[in-house]
Structures are given as structure tokens and as C-alpha cells.
Amino acid sequence: MKKVTTSVLLKMKQERQKITVLTAYDASFAKLFDEAGIDAMLIGDSLGMVLQGEDSTLPVSVDDIAYHTRAVRNGTSRALVVADMPFMSYATPEQTYPNAAKLMAAGANMVKLEGGEWLLESIEGLVKRGIPVCGHLGLTPQSVNVIGGFKVQGRDQEKAQKMISEAQQLERAGIQMLVLECVPTNLAASITEAVSIPVIGIGAGNKTDGQVLVMHDMFGISANYMPKFSKNYLAQTGDIRKAVSAFIDEVQSGAFPDESHSFAD
């Protein structure tokens, strides 16, 4: 299968082909996902919760992400590899550049940052320095203490309009992909139409350009709890490879997520 690049993902959006993304943290699962046809893999700071047993993503370090990025890269031959930049690793442009470079050197094709307009300078600087960027709006887990918990974002009109505006600002700054987490389906649809880059949803309905799930949630083995927006594909199929194939098929057909895995206005 053709190697996935940012250009391939952009073409998929333009042709209305759904993009499939899973988190991955080691070479074995990366190889399995890659061979199944997953378009992109995210080394998420979710590893703090699903691998390390923490109650948030905040304790994860750049070294943690770099270690797992290198492992995922070693198991991947075609999918795009995206690495999360962890909490406070990109608070200023001066911090951002060397930390992003470390993740790219470990094997990432792109780095992901959480936040809106305050990131514009750093994003522009990264892109000028040859580092592709994925944005992240909506529920931003690294800001959980400010948000006041893991809550749906953008339900009131003012905040929804701000999120649309920030998505457009991030695109102008140079991001090549955007993750929307825990936002109402209609808002996610509006943002997807408002930008020309691929928009990947998690708890954002099925009107985005693609979907991402945490692999531990998809297999029903998360240590803490199963989010509303996740689905246990392993219970549905009884086999890991069949579970991944079912996820891909349901995302591509638009069957997942359905209303039971989404949020209304």
C-alpha cells in the first residue's frame, strides 16, 4: 500500500475518503495496525494513563514520547507517525523547537500540540523549520485542571464561534491536520467545512474527515474507564486483527461513531 504523507491525507479529505487513526506505543502493535491499513498512528500522551497508570496525561515527558515514537517507527512502513508534545514542552517557542526536533529525530512525521491562538508563533516557527504540525482543539487533556475535568467543549454559541475561528487561525499558521476532541457533532461538522486541512475527530461525531481512538479503549482494556465516544471492537469481533479491520470499515462507511458515541449541542 502507498506510503501515507500529509499530501495523501489532504487528498483523502478532498475526495471525502475517511481517515483512520489509532494510538500506538510499541513496534508490535504498530506493525499490526500498519499492515491492517491504518492511515496514521499517534503516539499519544495518553500513554501516561493507559501504560503508566497515571490519572492524567500531565506527568508524561518528552523522553517518554520519544522512546515510544522510536518503537512505533520501527514497526511502521507506510502509516503517518504523529507524536504528541507533552505538557509544558511547548510553553514558549524556545522550548518548542528543540523538543519537537527530538520527537522528529525519534521517527515522527508530525508533532501534535494542544491549544489555540497562543500557539500561532510556535506553529509558524516549526513549519518554517520543516516540522509538520497537527493542532488539537476542544477538550485538551493537558488543560484538564483549567477546564475543570474531562468535559464536552463548545456547547454555547460564543465558545463554538471561538473554536471555529481558532481552527482557521491554526490553519493559517501552518498546521496540516487538526484533532477535535469531545465537541458537539454539529460544531465539528462546521469546523471541518471551515478549514481545508483534514480534521480528525474523537468524540466529535461522524462528520469530520476521520476518526482516532486510543487503542486500549478500542480493545476494551483501559485500566480506568471506557469513554462514551469509544467502542470495544475486540468484544465485537473476538480477534485483535478483526477488531482493527472493523474499526477501519466502520469509520470509512460512516457507521462509527454513531449517535451513542457522539455529543449533541
Side-chain angles (χ1 to χ4, degrees):
M1 288 181 281
K2 187 177 180 179
K3 190 172 182 64
V4 180
T5 64
T6 54
S7 297
V8 169
L9 296 182
L10 179 59
K11 186 177 180 182
M12 290 178 72
K13 177 187 176 88
Q14 294 167 344
E15 296 180 351
R16 297 192 179 277
Q17 299 177 33
K18 295 288 189 178
I19 298 164
T20 57
V21 186
L22 285 173
T23 64
Y25 313 97
D26 64 35
S28 296
F29 275 106
K31 185 173 187 293
L32 189 155
F33 297 161
D34 199 56
E35 291 175 348
I38 286 290
D39 298 310
M41 282 179 265
L42 170 66
I43 297 85
D45 57 6
S46 50
L47 69 85
M49 301 174 79
V50 298
L51 296 186
Q52 299 173 341
E54 304 286 356
D55 61 3
S56 76
T57 64
L58 304 188
V60 176
S61 69
V62 174
D63 286 341
D64 290 336
I65 298 289
Y67 172 89
H68 290 279
T69 297
R70 185 169 290 106
V72 169
R73 168 53 62 200
N74 288 340
T76 305
S77 60
R78 53 163 296 283
L80 190 82
V81 175
V82 185
D84 260 343
M85 293 195 67
F87 180 62
M88 292 301 289
S89 67
Y90 52 99
T92 66
E94 292 73 24
Q95 281 181 301
T96 304
Y97 304 150
N99 286 330
K102 187 170 188 175
L103 299 183
M104 295 294 287
N109 301 120
M110 174 182 278
V111 297
K112 183 168 76 66
L113 289 69
E114 295 182 8
E117 58 186 343
W118 69 273
L119 284 173
L120 298 180
E121 181 183 353
S122 291
I123 291 168
E124 290 172 355
L126 286 171
V127 173
K128 287 177 181 177
R129 289 160 177 79
I131 297 179
V133 180
C134 175
H136 185 146
L137 292 173
L139 172 60
T140 48
Q142 292 176 15
S143 302
V144 64
N145 291 315
V146 173
I147 294 170
F150 296 95
K151 300 177 180 180
V152 180
Q153 302 296 304
R155 275 190 161 142
D156 69 74
Q157 190 64 24
E158 182 180 348
K159 290 181 179 177
Q161 286 302 318
K162 181 181 179 183
M163 203 179 300
I164 294 171
S165 175
E166 286 192 314
Q168 293 172 323
Q169 288 178 288
L170 292 174
E171 180 181 16
R172 287 193 293 270
I175 67 168
Q176 292 179 283
M177 190 160 69
L178 175 66
V179 170
L180 289 180
E181 182 170 356
C182 286
V183 302
T185 299
N186 288 339
L187 173 56
S190 295
I191 292 173
T192 302
E193 291 298 319
V195 298
S196 61
I197 56 174
V199 177
I200 310 301
I202 178 166
N206 63 3
K207 305 300 183 184
T208 56
D209 300 307
Q211 301 293 327
V212 57
L213 282 182
V214 173
M215 58 167 280
H216 292 69
D217 292 342
M218 189 188 73
F219 295 142
I221 56 173
S222 292
N224 298 317
Y225 76 105
M226 177 68 75
K228 169 186 167 69
F229 53 72
S230 294
K231 182 175 180 179
N232 186 341
Y233 282 94
L234 185 57
Q236 176 180 312
T237 61
D239 178 88
I240 288 177
R241 287 178 173 80
K242 289 180 181 177
V244 178
S245 294
F247 169 70
I248 293 172
D249 291 344
E250 290 192 5
V251 170
Q252 290 177 343
S253 71
F256 177 82
D258 59 21
E259 288 185 5
S260 67
H261 301 103
S262 306
F263 301 99
D265 293 335

